[in-house]
Amino acid sequence: MASKLTTCFVCWNLSTGFDCNHHRNNRAMRSTFPPSSKLRRHRSTIIISNQFCLFSSQQKRQYNKKSSRPSSIDGPLNPPNSNDDDSLHNFNNNSSSPSALNVNRTEPAEQLSDGQLEDLLAMIKNAEKNILLINQARVRALEDLQKILSEKKVLQAEINVLEMRLAETDARIEVADQEKTRVELLEGQLEKLHSELAQKGSDAELHDIQTGVLSDANDTISSLTVELNSIREENASLKNEIESFKTQLNDVKNNDERLVVLEKERLFLESALKDLESKLSISPEAVSELSTLKVECKYLSDKVENLQLLLDKATKQADQAVIVLQQNQDLQREVDKLEATLEEANIYKLSSDKLQKDNELMQQKIKLLENSLEKSDEDINSYVQLYQQSVNEFQDTLNILQKGSKKKTLDEPVEDMPWEFWSQLLLLIDGWALEKKISVDDAKLLREKVWKKDKSISDIYLACKGQNEDEAISSFLGLTSSATSPGLHVIHIAAEMAPVAKVGGLGDVVCGLSKALQKKGHLVEIVLPKYDCMQYDRIGDIRALDVVIESYFDGQLFKNKIWVGTVEGLPVYFIEPHHPDKFFWRGDFYGERDDFRRFSYFSRVALEFLLQAGKKPDIIHCHDWQTAFIAPLYWDVYVPKGLNSARICFTCHNFEYQGTAPASELESCGLDSHHLNRPDRMQDNSAHNRVNSVKGGVVYSNIVTTVSPTYAQEVRTAEGGKGLQSTLSTHSKKFIGVLNGIDTDIWNPATDPFLDVQYNANDLQGKSENKEALRRKLGLSSEDVKRPLVGCITRLVPQKGVHLIRHAIYLTLELGGQFVLLGSSPVPHIQREFEGIANHFKNHDHIRLILKYDESLSHTIYAASDMFIIPSIFEPCGLTQMISMRYGAVPIVRKTGGLNDSVFDIDDDTIPSQFQNGFTFLNADEKGINGALVRAINLYQNDPESWKQLVQKDMNIDFSWDSSAAQYEELYLKSVTRGRATKRA
């Protein structure tokens, strides 16, 4: 209100009566008193109020000489009400009106309107009140200044005293040191005396003298020690007090600076006050009628106050009414919830007895099934023995039949066709099924022929290359005869797949495991989002199907386009949502604010695609939190729709990332948040109003795996489980760790196209040549060809032990080695730190840091390195150590997660020698990594033959996906068998 009144009043040009230009004076007001903050607005109001106060006092004296009417003002009046916008508006309008304000000295003062004089009177009275306030503030400021100066003097005196005491304690410490020196001299004399007395043979005298001297010395030492300790304690306390007083002194100095600023502001206020005073002194007639309006002004002020009280009372009543209304609405919602809960309870009560009876019958059936299985096992054992006896006879008969029957030859699987051929054929059949050009049953039979690599379907496919689509479909339908499935149908639904959409190890696992299962004779398909940032050049024969899949999200249906293509010989389906938020057209795979919505949408569309394509998979394998939604969606939404043939396998690659969100977010993809936000389902264990998608994957899946046996044990602890340890313990019977493998086709030094020279375990000369080539490329010294090269390829994040990597760089240099680091950090301060290290060693002969990721350079570093360092704080699996051993780089790792399952120390006698393959340490500190790195470099430098044998052993270890895929195959088969047995029961 003060700023509004200031603006209005300054519009009056007092130098020429009340004739003014409203806009010109407004600009002058803003230039003189810029309203940059509330403090400055208040200050400008005080200035103008002071000026009006002076103006009022001068005019009263002049008016008393001209008129006999009373002109005094009985105390300051309250300013106009800040809420009275109408009065301010009228005042501004009137003050800017030429007809109302064009008053000069020759015209009588009665021409002023009542509203103008009322507002002017109110402002003058407000000015009188404010001038009193500013005088009081000046007095208080002077008192504060005096107080601060006195405190400053006292503090300075105390500091001087403390400094004197500190000097005294230093002197006492010097005296104590001198006493200590004297005691040491006495001890030397005592020893000398002891030797002399021993020579004279007077043992008794020696003992007495020794005892006396020792007691004196001990007493002196003990007293000096006590005194020295007390002096040190006093010295420490004095130092603390000095620091405290210095802090207070700084505060005093700050107060001095603040007082200087206040004094400058006071001078500015006084100059502005004098300036306005000079302007106001020109208009003595402006307030000639003020005294006559005093009574009316007081009456109006009282009336305004009464109206304000009534308004405040009405406002409070309205606020109370709003609060009561909100409470009523909350109570109504609670009543609705209670009614719904009561209905559910009644239904549950009615069905509980039936469920109890069904449960008892189910237990009886399970016991019968167990007995049947035991009997079946006995029968199978007997059959196995008979089978083994007849194997040779059967083989001979089979060979005869193969040679004598052309028809049999035609029915054999075709093994010389690449996997891309069969995947393209499978995608062709699925496209026809989705486009409704063939029936679901025909598509199933044709898929099974592709699955078996049937020669007849491959011949038809090759023969149809020149035919139109209708003729090709007719030819394929001629093959729809009875067929049996040779293996499992597995569908992976994931957010990544190497090499087209890879961020971390997840992409490698999806690709490597799928290829290994495909080689074992299983039908494997992958469903991915169609990102805009994928490597499309690595996708074979990508095309869009002439079909649109509609999927539910946010209460409505959205269309989705389906693309197909082959990746590494595998059939892949890419889902492109036609959603206005462009979920997968963001230029990146992860890291968006709506990742929870993006991937819950994708999970729903993926299952919708399987349903509409008529697929009947045996296993649906989902990965990490991004597709963990598959498990609850499958059982709660899609099993009732008919997609009910599969068992769900969920793999969590890193429990650090769990995908949590408010429970209401589940509603978007069609899941019931009230049903799932429970402790035994998807409710996050640390926040009851949030859901956890990884927990949902664990609870709702038939198989739960992680990426190494050791990590499976670590996540059952509070530190490793990240809040899910209790859930994993509850579901421990279906939870297992399976160590990942690597794709040995991609990571093979004998065929790697990125290397200058290919090599193998029997010919290590190529490794030395690759080491020399890397040195030339990075500008490292090649003077000592036997100098060890330590490599490190990693993301620079705390999980990877960045402080130990930094220490290893300098330690390697001290031990006479070379160090090459390849990797970057998403954490800004870590990236800046390593950029500083890289700049420091920019032209160094033995250290090089490349702070980015380069695929071809990574292959070269693996091949060139003699040893590889992986000091992870935790590592679910880790592929780096497997790749490094594949390329003959001996790993140096911390014993955690998958590193503990794949690297075994060569000095650990508890490990059989054939498994010893590297160097390990336990504690994540500099001492631990020092021991492992020193041992590795010593062996390399001092025992070249043992080092060569270790390198050859590492290169011959089988880290392929064959072993891991066999474990997954066993898990799949057991789960499918249990599921089928349950359905039959």
Side-chain angles (χ1 to χ4, degrees):
M1 178 61 191
S3 62
K4 291 182 180 179
L5 292 177
T6 300
T7 304
C8 294
F9 185 74
V10 173
C11 292
W12 295 54
N13 189 343
L14 300 177
S15 62
T16 56
F18 290 99
D19 187 8
C20 67
N21 187 312
H22 179 72
H23 296 289
R24 184 180 67 240
N25 286 321
N26 265 337
R27 288 195 297 270
M29 176 61 190
R30 285 194 293 270
S31 63
T32 306
F33 306 107
S36 59
S37 65
K38 292 182 178 180
L39 178 63
R40 299 186 62 139
R41 287 197 300 269
H42 180 65
R43 188 186 308 144
S44 64
T45 305
I46 293 174
I47 292 171
I48 297 175
S49 300
N50 292 337
Q51 293 169 342
F52 270 112
C53 184
L54 294 174
F55 165 79
S56 177
S57 60
Q58 292 174 0
Q59 297 307 315
K60 284 191 290 183
R61 288 194 298 270
Q62 295 176 5
Y63 186 77
N64 286 333
K65 296 178 181 180
K66 296 179 180 181
S67 176
S68 61
R69 289 178 297 177
S71 60
S72 62
I73 299 175
D74 299 332
L77 295 178
N78 293 327
N81 195 319
S82 60
N83 294 323
D84 194 356
D85 293 333
D86 291 338
S87 63
L88 287 178
H89 178 70
N90 293 334
F91 177 73
N92 286 331
N93 291 340
N94 293 334
S95 63
S96 61
S97 173
S99 62
L101 300 179
N102 191 12
V103 181
N104 54 39
R105 294 182 182 181
T106 60
E107 292 177 350
E110 285 77 10
Q111 291 181 1
L112 291 173
S113 67
D114 294 342
Q116 294 170 353
L117 291 175
E118 287 173 2
D119 290 332
L120 183 60
L121 179 63
M123 285 186 290
I124 292 174
K125 292 180 179 181
N126 185 40
E128 291 178 342
K129 181 178 179 181
N130 288 333
I131 194 65
L132 179 61
L133 293 176
I134 196 170
N135 290 331
Q136 293 174 354
R138 289 175 181 172
V139 173
R140 284 196 297 271
L142 292 173
E143 291 175 352
D144 291 341
L145 177 60
Q146 293 297 330
K147 184 177 180 181
I148 290 170
L149 292 175
S150 62
E151 288 177 355
K152 180 179 177 182
K153 291 179 181 179
V154 172
L155 290 174
Q156 187 62 47
E158 291 179 355
I159 289 172
N160 294 334
V161 172
L162 289 173
E163 288 177 348
M164 293 175 60
R165 292 176 63 185
L166 181 60
E168 292 175 1
T169 54
D170 290 337
R172 292 171 66 183
I173 289 172
E174 291 179 0
V175 172
D177 289 337
Q178 294 174 1
E179 290 293 335
K180 184 177 179 183
T181 305
R182 187 175 66 82
V183 170
E184 291 175 351
L185 293 174
L186 288 174
E187 288 178 350
Q189 293 176 2
L190 178 63
E191 291 178 357
K192 183 177 179 181
L193 183 61
H194 175 72
S195 61
E196 292 176 355
L197 291 175
Q199 292 176 358
K200 294 179 179 180
S202 50
D203 294 336
E205 293 178 2
L206 172 64
H207 182 268
D208 294 338
I209 294 172
Q210 184 178 4
T211 303
V213 173
L214 283 174
S215 61
D216 293 339
N218 290 333
D219 293 339
T220 304
I221 291 171
S222 61
S223 62
L224 289 174
T225 303
V226 171
E227 185 177 3
L228 182 61
N229 291 335
S230 63
I231 290 172
R232 285 176 177 170
E233 291 176 355
E234 185 176 1
N235 189 21
S237 64
L238 288 174
K239 287 182 178 179
N240 293 333
E241 291 178 3
I242 288 173
E243 292 297 329
S244 175
F245 281 119
K246 286 182 178 179
T247 303
Q248 296 180 12
L249 184 60
N250 291 333
D251 294 339
V252 170
K253 291 180 179 178
N254 294 333
N255 289 333
D256 290 343
E257 295 174 358
R258 185 168 61 85
L259 287 173
V260 170
V261 173
L262 290 173
E263 184 62 21
K264 290 181 180 179
E265 291 180 355
R266 186 183 66 81
L267 294 174
F268 172 78
L269 291 175
E270 288 181 353
S271 62
L273 184 63
K274 291 179 180 179
D275 182 67
L276 193 57
E277 239 175 16
S278 62
K279 293 181 180 179
L280 289 174
S281 61
I282 304 174
S283 305
E285 296 85 5
V287 292
S288 58
E289 297 295 324
L290 291 180
S291 59
T292 60
L293 300 172
K294 178 179 178 181
V295 177
E296 294 180 7
C297 181
K298 185 176 181 181
Y299 170 75
L300 291 174
S301 297
D302 294 337
K303 189 173 182 181
V304 167
E305 290 177 357
N306 292 333
L307 290 174
Q308 183 63 38
L309 292 174
L310 292 174
L311 179 61
D312 293 340
K313 185 176 180 180
T315 303
K316 291 179 180 179
Q317 292 177 352
D319 292 340
Q320 291 176 355
V322 170
I323 293 171
V324 172
L325 181 60
Q326 291 177 349
Q327 292 176 349
N328 290 339
Q329 292 176 350
D330 293 338
L331 289 173
Q332 184 61 43
R333 285 195 292 269
E334 292 294 331
V335 169
D336 294 339
K337 290 181 180 178
L338 289 172
E339 289 178 353
T341 305
L342 182 61
E343 292 177 0
E344 292 178 359
N346 291 333
I347 295 171
Y348 177 80
K349 184 176 180 181
L350 293 173
S351 61
S352 60
D353 296 335
K354 184 178 179 181
L355 289 173
Q356 183 66 29
K357 293 179 181 179
D358 292 341
N359 187 31
E360 293 175 356
L361 292 173
M362 184 64 69
Q363 293 296 331
Q364 295 175 0
K365 290 181 180 180
I366 289 173
K367 290 180 180 179
L368 292 174
L369 285 172
E370 289 176 350
N371 295 332
S372 300
L373 287 173
E374 291 177 358
K375 185 177 180 181
S376 298
D377 290 339
E378 295 174 357
D379 294 337
I380 288 171
N381 289 332
S382 62
Y383 291 148
V384 166
Q385 293 176 359
L386 294 173
Y387 170 79
Q388 290 175 348
Q389 294 173 2
S390 60
V391 164
N392 294 331
E393 296 177 359
F394 173 80
Q395 188 63 44
D396 294 338
T397 304
L398 181 61
N399 291 334
I400 294 170
L401 291 173
Q402 286 178 343
K403 293 178 181 178
S405 175
K406 292 182 180 180
K407 185 176 182 302
K408 190 67 177 177
T409 302
L410 292 174
D411 292 337
E412 288 180 348
V414 180
E415 299 292 348
D416 58 348
M417 290 295 185
W419 283 109
E420 284 84 357
F421 173 84
W422 300 107
S423 296
Q424 290 171 8
L425 181 53
L426 183 67
L427 294 173
L428 178 66
I429 294 169
D430 281 341
W432 287 342
L434 285 167
E435 293 165 355
K436 307 301 182 184
K437 294 176 180 177
I438 61 175
S439 67
V440 173
D441 294 334
D442 289 338
K444 181 179 179 181
L445 294 174
L446 291 173
R447 284 194 202 103
E448 291 174 351
K449 284 187 173 292
V450 174
W451 196 345
K452 293 190 299 182
K453 297 185 179 179
D454 193 294
K455 190 175 190 309
S456 61
I457 197 167
S458 67
D459 291 341
I460 290 291
Y461 181 57
L462 293 173
C464 292
K465 288 292 186 181
Q467 299 179 356
N468 60 42
E469 190 176 45
D470 293 336
E471 293 174 346
I473 291 174
S474 299
S475 299
F476 274 90
L477 291 177
L479 298 174
T480 55
S481 59
S482 60
T484 57
S485 175
L488 296 172
H489 184 187
V490 181
I491 296 179
H492 288 274
I493 303 177
E496 295 182 40
M497 180 186 180
V500 296
K502 176 185 173 181
V503 175
L506 168 60
D508 293 314
V509 171
V510 172
C511 182
L513 177 58
S514 298
K515 288 171 67 175
L517 291 170
Q518 189 183 59
K519 290 177 182 178
K520 288 181 174 292
H522 302 291
L523 174 59
V524 184
E525 300 170 306
I526 298 97
V527 182
L528 296 175
K530 188 176 183 294
Y531 300 101
D532 59 346
C533 53
M534 288 194 304
Q535 295 189 31
Y536 285 94
D537 57 332
R538 306 294 292 271
I539 305 173
D541 300 318
I542 186 170
R543 62 187 177 88
L545 298 179
D546 187 17
V547 66
V548 173
I549 301 293
E550 288 190 334
S551 179
Y552 174 91
F553 199 75
D554 282 338
Q556 56 184 309
L557 294 176
F558 292 96
K559 295 181 179 180
N560 303 274
K561 198 171 186 178
I562 307 299
W563 295 71
V564 296
T566 59
V567 178
E568 297 290 319
L570 293 161
V572 184
Y573 302 89
F574 302 95
I575 294 177
E576 178 187 351
H578 289 180
H579 191 280
D581 289 343
K582 299 186 180 300
F583 283 140
F584 302 110
W585 291 81
R586 308 282 184 86
D588 209 345
F589 299 107
Y590 306 132
E592 299 295 316
R593 57 177 178 76
D594 57 346
D595 276 355
F596 193 92
R597 284 171 51 80
R598 295 169 66 214
F599 289 104
S600 62
Y601 180 96
F602 166 69
S603 299
R604 174 81 188 230
V605 180
L607 290 175
E608 189 69 30
F609 161 69
L610 300 185
L611 176 67
Q612 297 193 30
K615 292 183 179 291
K616 297 291 182 180
D618 297 300
I619 297 290
I620 297 177
H621 196 150
C622 48
H623 300 264
D624 272 349
W625 76 264
Q626 290 88 356
T627 54
F629 305 98
I630 292 292
L633 278 168
Y634 177 80
W635 295 111
D636 286 2
V637 179
Y638 282 92
V639 165
K641 292 185 176 183
L643 182 62
N644 56 5
S645 64
R647 306 287 282 176
I648 305 298
C649 178
F650 171 63
T651 298
C652 184
H653 298 254
N654 191 339
F655 280 87
E656 187 81 9
Y657 309 101
Q658 298 183 6
T660 65
S664 59
E665 292 284 340
L666 284 178
E667 302 287 346
S668 294
C669 66
L671 290 171
D672 186 348
S673 61
H674 298 292
H675 172 69
L676 295 174
N677 188 26
R678 289 170 39 175
D680 59 335
R681 295 179 182 173
M682 288 187 69
Q683 186 180 84
D684 188 64
N685 291 341
S686 58
H688 295 168
N689 61 338
R690 297 177 71 84
V691 289
N692 186 315
S693 64
V694 169
K695 182 178 179 181
V698 172
V699 172
Y700 280 87
S701 296
N702 304 107
I703 308 166
V704 181
T705 70
T706 191
V707 290
S708 70
T710 297
Y711 189 58
Q713 296 300 321
E714 291 174 348
V715 296
R716 288 185 171 97
T717 66
E719 182 180 359
K722 307 299 180 183
L724 287 181
Q725 60 274 7
S726 59
T727 302
L728 294 171
S729 177
T730 302
H731 297 272
S732 60
K733 291 184 178 180
K734 63 181 180 182
F735 179 50
I736 189 173
V738 180
L739 186 66
N740 287 339
I742 60 174
D743 191 330
T744 52
D745 294 333
I746 296 175
W747 300 107
N748 185 359
T751 59
D752 195 331
F754 293 111
L755 304 185
D756 288 15
V757 180
Q758 283 78 34
Y759 63 98
N760 55 47
N762 298 322
D763 180 15
L764 294 177
Q765 181 60 33
K767 184 169 180 62
S768 299
E769 295 179 14
N770 282 295
K771 181 177 179 179
E772 182 61 27
L774 180 67
R775 284 172 165 172
R776 288 195 304 270
K777 182 175 183 178
L778 299 182
L780 296 173
S781 173
S782 300
E783 291 181 3
D784 185 0
V785 294
K786 294 184 178 180
R787 185 184 291 269
L789 177 62
V790 180
C792 182
I793 300 176
T794 185
R795 290 182 301 116
L796 295 172
V797 292
Q799 173 198 340
K800 302 296 182 179
V802 289
H803 66 292
L804 298 178
I805 294 173
R806 180 180 60 246
H807 177 71
I809 295 172
Y810 295 95
L811 180 60
T812 301
L813 190 60
E814 292 178 15
L815 296 173
Q818 294 180 317
F819 197 100
V820 176
L821 169 68
L822 176 65
S824 61
S825 177
V827 184
H829 77 270
I830 295 177
Q831 181 72 11
R832 288 194 298 269
E833 179 184 6
F834 277 84
E835 285 174 353
I837 298 173
N839 291 331
H840 178 71
F841 290 110
K842 185 176 182 180
N843 299 315
H844 200 277
D845 290 339
H846 305 302
I847 304 293
R848 199 68 74 239
L849 278 67
I850 303 95
L851 300 180
K852 61 178 182 179
Y853 183 74
D854 186 317
E855 179 70 18
S856 63
L857 184 58
S858 69
H859 287 248
T860 307
I861 293 174
Y862 281 120
S865 298
D866 297 300
M867 51 199 76
F868 232 78
I869 192 158
I870 312 163
S872 300
I873 305 303
F874 72 94
E875 191 65 67
C877 176
L879 303 179
T880 306
Q881 76 278 13
M882 302 179 190
I883 299 171
S884 68
M885 284 188 274
R886 176 80 167 158
Y887 282 73
V890 178
I892 303 170
V893 308
R894 197 176 89 80
K895 292 170 67 66
T896 181
L899 300 174
N900 186 53
D901 294 322
S902 55
V903 181
F904 306 98
D905 200 290
I906 65 169
D907 295 324
D908 188 351
D909 296 334
T910 63
I911 302 295
S913 59
Q914 64 269 27
F915 298 116
Q916 296 173 355
N917 58 1
F919 298 87
T920 65
F921 61 97
L922 181 59
N923 296 325
D925 54 23
E926 296 179 357
K927 182 178 178 181
I929 197 172
N930 284 354
L933 188 55
V934 168
R935 286 189 294 120
I937 291 181
N938 284 342
L939 182 64
Y940 176 88
Q941 293 175 337
N942 301 326
D943 194 347
E945 186 59 31
S946 296
W947 184 268
K948 179 180 178 181
Q949 293 174 4
L950 178 59
V951 169
Q952 291 175 327
K953 181 198 294 185
D954 286 356
M955 293 184 70
N956 287 322
I957 297 175
D958 181 13
F959 283 114
S960 69
W961 270 102
D962 291 343
S963 176
S964 303
Q967 294 184 61
Y968 273 108
E969 182 182 42
E970 183 180 359
L971 291 172
Y972 292 163
L973 289 170
K974 287 182 179 178
S975 183
V976 169
T977 301
R978 286 195 297 268
R980 290 172 181 171
T982 302
K983 285 184 179 180
R984 288 196 299 270

